[in-house]
């Protein structure tokens, strides 16, 4: 990446729906595994990524996407609720001097009221990073201007 915006964040426990790890998840294989084939068809390849999300709390009040790398609108990926809109922003994730390329994953809340995240949490889809667990400190790097952060 050329000019970048860099954020530091801490991995925290999520809802377990994206990965299917929650016993209460309506998607036993995980929502990301179910969505990925649709995203693939629409030009977003997640085949090198872990099919779940890293929930990363950043030191900010809120953030928003200014320029998505990919946006998928009105995707009907399940019959359990209406179609959803998703935005993705390419990013670099660094942990313990290892960097991988991944995605900021943003299911638009206006299309799925049941999906709730704190305003300072980013959901990241990335290849497996050895040793990452709850409490791990990550460095997130985005193309300059792709996201806006409110401190």
């Amino acid at each position: 990446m050329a000019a970048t915006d860099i954020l530091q964040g801490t991995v925290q426990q999520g809802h377990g729906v994206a990965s299917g790890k929650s016993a209460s998840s309506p998607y036993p294989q995980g929502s990301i595994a179910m969505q990925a084939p649709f995203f693939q068809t629409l030009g977003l390849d997640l085949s090198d990524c872990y099919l779940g999300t890293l929930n990363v709390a950043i030191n900010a009040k809120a953030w928003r996407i200014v320029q998505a790398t990919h946006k998928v609108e009105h995707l009907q990926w399940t019959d359990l609720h209406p179609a959803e809109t998703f935005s993705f922003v390419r990013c670099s994730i660094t942990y313990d001097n290892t960097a991988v390329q991944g995605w900021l994953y943003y299911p638009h809340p206006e299309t799925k009221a049941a999906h709730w995240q704190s305003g300072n949490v980013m959901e990241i889809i990335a290849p497996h990073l050895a040793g990452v667990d709850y409490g791990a400190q990550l460095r997130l790097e985005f193309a300059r201007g792709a996201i806006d952060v409110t401190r």
Side-chain angles (χ1 to χ4, degrees):
M1 292 185 181
T4 60
D5 290 318
I6 297 171
L7 300 171
Q8 300 293 328
T10 305
V11 177
Q12 65 179 30
Q13 187 167 4
H15 304 294
V17 175
S19 64
K21 290 184 176 181
S22 170
S24 64
S25 174
Y27 321 112
Q29 69 270 44
S31 60
I32 303 296
M34 293 175 67
Q35 295 163 0
F38 293 99
F39 297 147
Q40 175 82 35
T41 299
L42 297 168
L44 177 64
D45 184 4
L46 300 176
S47 63
D48 66 338
C49 295
Y50 172 75
L51 297 178
T53 60
L54 289 168
N55 293 272
V56 182
I58 60 170
N59 185 19
K61 291 179 184 172
W63 59 271
R64 68 180 180 88
I65 295 174
V66 176
Q67 183 63 50
T69 309
H70 291 277
K71 186 171 185 181
V72 177
E73 297 189 78
H74 312 295
L75 178 64
Q76 187 67 56
W77 63 273
T78 178
D79 60 1
L80 297 180
H81 49 75
E84 293 180 74
T85 296
F86 301 87
S87 288
F88 295 85
V89 179
R90 192 66 157 156
C91 63
S92 175
I93 305 100
T94 303
Y95 173 71
D96 195 27
N97 295 318
T98 299
V100 296
Q101 294 297 303
W103 300 96
L104 168 61
Y105 165 79
Y106 183 70
H108 289 242
E110 67 272 16
T111 62
K112 186 175 182 184
H115 184 88
W116 182 87
Q117 288 288 356
S118 175
N120 72 323
V121 172
M122 294 181 157
E123 287 187 274
I124 304 294
I125 298 176
H128 178 75
L129 273 166
V132 171
D133 205 347
Y134 304 133
Q137 298 296 303
L138 301 182
R139 172 185 157 128
L140 305 175
E141 197 168 347
F142 299 91
R144 174 90 20 97
I147 58 168
D148 180 55
V149 176
T150 303
R151 302 257 182 221

